[in-house]
């Protein structure tokens, strides 16, 4: 478990690398949803997603402990974040990506001076290889979500929200492995237990939904959801107990709802968000939150979109 103190400490640790992201509003979205809607713009964070928060907190910790080399297994936001932080701290990083990773994602990691190694097509292949590289070179593997320093780093978003919209009633969070959710939920509930925290998953990537229903970690088969950042097979061993303790509800959204929400944000708000960000907007737009007349904060978790793939994402 992490605590509010851990998150407050993380905020101090990461403040020189990350930035406080703005809160966006949309009168049209608020009217359509029957709530006063606010959007936490983590798509405008450095490296294009919230992942830089946890990565900074974790990488700084391992460097403090003497690490001279780090690895990660990711084709997306986590890999970019780890590469960026390592570059800022002046240590080498190798990011193990799938053999079918898009050129756009590889280029983003390379732009932050991350070394690339391609391995297989699944996380079950990438993660062992990244851990092996770290072991062979006396380095440290940086996990994507199931780590207390990662979780505390992501929780700094919750602290910012409470300062930016002090009387927020509901916080809505995308759920993949649970690092973002566990951090934000801890920050919110340990600051103000009356705040509702609601998670959102795609219907086809509903591992946390099933785990909560079964009261134990439950795995799912490989999924094909458009929200690629939420394609986890099961919640984390460390994150899931926090989700169980603090999350008030978890709702599911359909693929067409995710695409429609993404299109709305593009067209009406002029913001580039990725499908994983759009799940919170989809839940609000399709009346899945079960609240009306409330101040509702939607987390826009990232905005790293390959523009060559955009037509397919929005169809």
């Amino acid at each position: 478990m992490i605590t509010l103190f851990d998150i407050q400490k993380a905020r101090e640790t990461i403040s020189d690398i990350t930035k406080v992201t703005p809160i966006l509003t949309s009168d049209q979205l608020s009217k359509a949803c029957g709530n006063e809607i606010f959007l936490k713009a983590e798509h405008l964070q450095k490296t294009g997603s919230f992942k830089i928060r946890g990565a900074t907190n974790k990488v700084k910790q391992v460097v403090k402990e003497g690490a001279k080399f780090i690895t990660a297994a990711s084709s997306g936001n986590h890999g970019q974040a780890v590469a960026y932080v390592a570059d800022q701290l002046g240590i080498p990083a190798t990011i193990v990506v799938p053999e079918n990773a898009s050129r756009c994602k590889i280029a983003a990691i390379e732009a932050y001076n991350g070394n690339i190694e391609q391995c297989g097509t699944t996380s079950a292949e990438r993660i062992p290889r990244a851990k092996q590289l770290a072991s062979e070179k006396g380095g440290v593997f940086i996990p994507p979500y199931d780590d207390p320093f990662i979780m505390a780093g992501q929780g700094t978003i919750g602290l910012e929200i409470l300062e930016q919209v002090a009387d927020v009633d509901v916080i809505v969070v995308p759920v993949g492995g649970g690092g973002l959710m566990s951090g934000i939920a801890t920050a919110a509930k340990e600051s103000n237990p009356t705040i509702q925290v609601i998670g959102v998953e795609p219907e086809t990537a509903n591992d946390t939904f099933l785990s909560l229903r079964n009261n134990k970690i439950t795995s799912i088969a490989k999924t094909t959801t458009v929200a690629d950042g939420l394609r986890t097979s099961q919640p984390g061993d460390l994150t899931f107990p926090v989700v169980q303790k603090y999350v008030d509800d978890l709702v599911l959204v359909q693929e067409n709802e995710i695409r429609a929400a993404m299109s709305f944000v593009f067209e009406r708000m002029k913001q580039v968000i990725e499908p994983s960000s759009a799940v919170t907007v989809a839940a609000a737009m399709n009346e899945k939150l079960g609240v009306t007349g409330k101040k509702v904060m939607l987390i826009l978790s990232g905005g790293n979109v390959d523009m060559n793939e955009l037509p397919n994402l929005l169809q």
Side-chain angles (χ1 to χ4, degrees):
M1 289 285 192
I2 58 171
T3 66
L4 181 60
F5 175 78
D6 296 322
I7 297 169
Q8 292 167 335
K9 186 177 179 181
R11 187 180 196 180
E12 296 176 4
T13 299
I14 71 175
S15 62
D16 62 329
I17 290 182
T18 63
K19 62 182 179 180
V20 176
T21 51
I23 302 295
L24 308 179
T25 59
S26 166
D27 291 341
Q28 187 174 2
L29 184 58
S30 291
K31 186 177 295 185
C33 297
N35 291 288
E36 189 175 357
I37 299 294
F38 301 86
L39 304 100
K40 181 62 168 163
E42 282 297 292
H43 65 298
L44 302 179
Q45 182 58 264
K46 288 183 181 177
T47 72
S49 87
F50 73 93
K51 288 287 191 177
I52 191 69
R53 296 175 183 263
T56 300
N57 199 37
K58 179 63 175 178
V59 174
K60 279 195 169 187
Q61 178 63 26
V62 301
V63 169
K64 182 179 178 181
E65 294 170 353
K68 304 295 184 185
F69 168 68
I70 57 174
T71 67
S74 168
S75 65
N77 295 342
H78 178 61
Q80 293 178 47
V82 170
Y84 180 89
V85 178
D87 190 44
Q88 293 295 302
L89 298 180
I91 64 170
T94 294
I95 313 301
V96 181
V97 305
E99 293 172 355
N100 58 356
S102 71
R103 183 61 233 172
C104 173
K105 292 179 179 179
I106 290 176
I109 292 170
E110 290 176 336
Y112 302 131
N113 295 317
N115 300 308
I116 297 287
E117 178 171 318
Q118 294 182 303
C119 178
T121 58
T122 67
S123 60
E125 296 167 291
R126 293 193 297 278
I127 291 174
R129 178 55 183 159
K131 289 181 176 179
Q132 180 186 15
L133 284 171
S135 177
E136 289 174 352
K137 299 183 179 181
V140 178
F141 170 72
I142 307 298
Y145 52 83
D146 209 25
D147 178 275
F149 287 94
I150 298 287
M151 295 156 65
Q154 321 305 27
T156 60
I157 296 170
L159 299 182
E160 291 178 17
I161 288 171
L162 295 176
E163 293 172 356
Q164 292 170 310
V165 185
D167 52 352
V168 65
D169 297 306
V170 184
I171 302 177
V172 188
V173 187
V175 179
L180 179 63
M181 171 56 91
S182 59
I184 290 178
T186 299
K189 290 292 191 178
E190 293 191 7
S191 298
N192 181 357
T194 66
I195 295 173
Q196 280 186 266
V197 180
I198 300 175
V200 187
E201 283 186 308
E203 280 190 351
T204 57
N206 62 343
D207 50 290
T208 300
F209 178 87
L210 294 175
S211 296
L212 287 170
R213 190 178 70 181
N214 297 336
N215 203 34
K216 64 178 183 180
I217 292 177
T218 303
S219 299
I220 61 171
K222 184 178 179 181
T223 179
T224 57
T225 178
V226 67
D228 59 338
L230 307 181
R231 290 177 190 165
T232 49
S233 60
Q234 65 180 58
D237 293 332
L238 300 181
T239 62
F240 183 60
V242 182
V243 172
Q244 284 183 300
K245 181 178 180 180
Y246 284 138
V247 174
D248 296 289
D249 195 11
L250 194 147
V251 301
L252 302 176
V253 290
Q254 300 172 1
E255 296 297 291
N256 64 319
E257 293 170 337
I258 297 171
R259 288 187 166 93
M262 189 176 173
S263 294
F264 177 92
V265 175
F266 267 72
E267 294 171 4
R268 306 299 173 84
M269 299 184 66
K270 315 307 178 188
Q271 300 294 315
V272 177
I273 64 168
E274 58 195 61
S276 298
S277 285
V279 298
T280 58
V281 181
M285 290 178 67
N286 291 280
E287 301 180 345
K288 302 200 176 185
L289 302 179
V291 297
T292 55
K294 301 291 186 179
K295 290 189 174 182
V296 177
M297 179 69 65
L298 309 179
I299 307 297
L300 299 180
S301 54
N304 289 319
V305 177
D306 184 342
M307 290 301 172
N308 293 319
E309 298 175 2
L310 190 57
N312 293 329
L313 295 178
L314 296 176
Q315 284 179 356

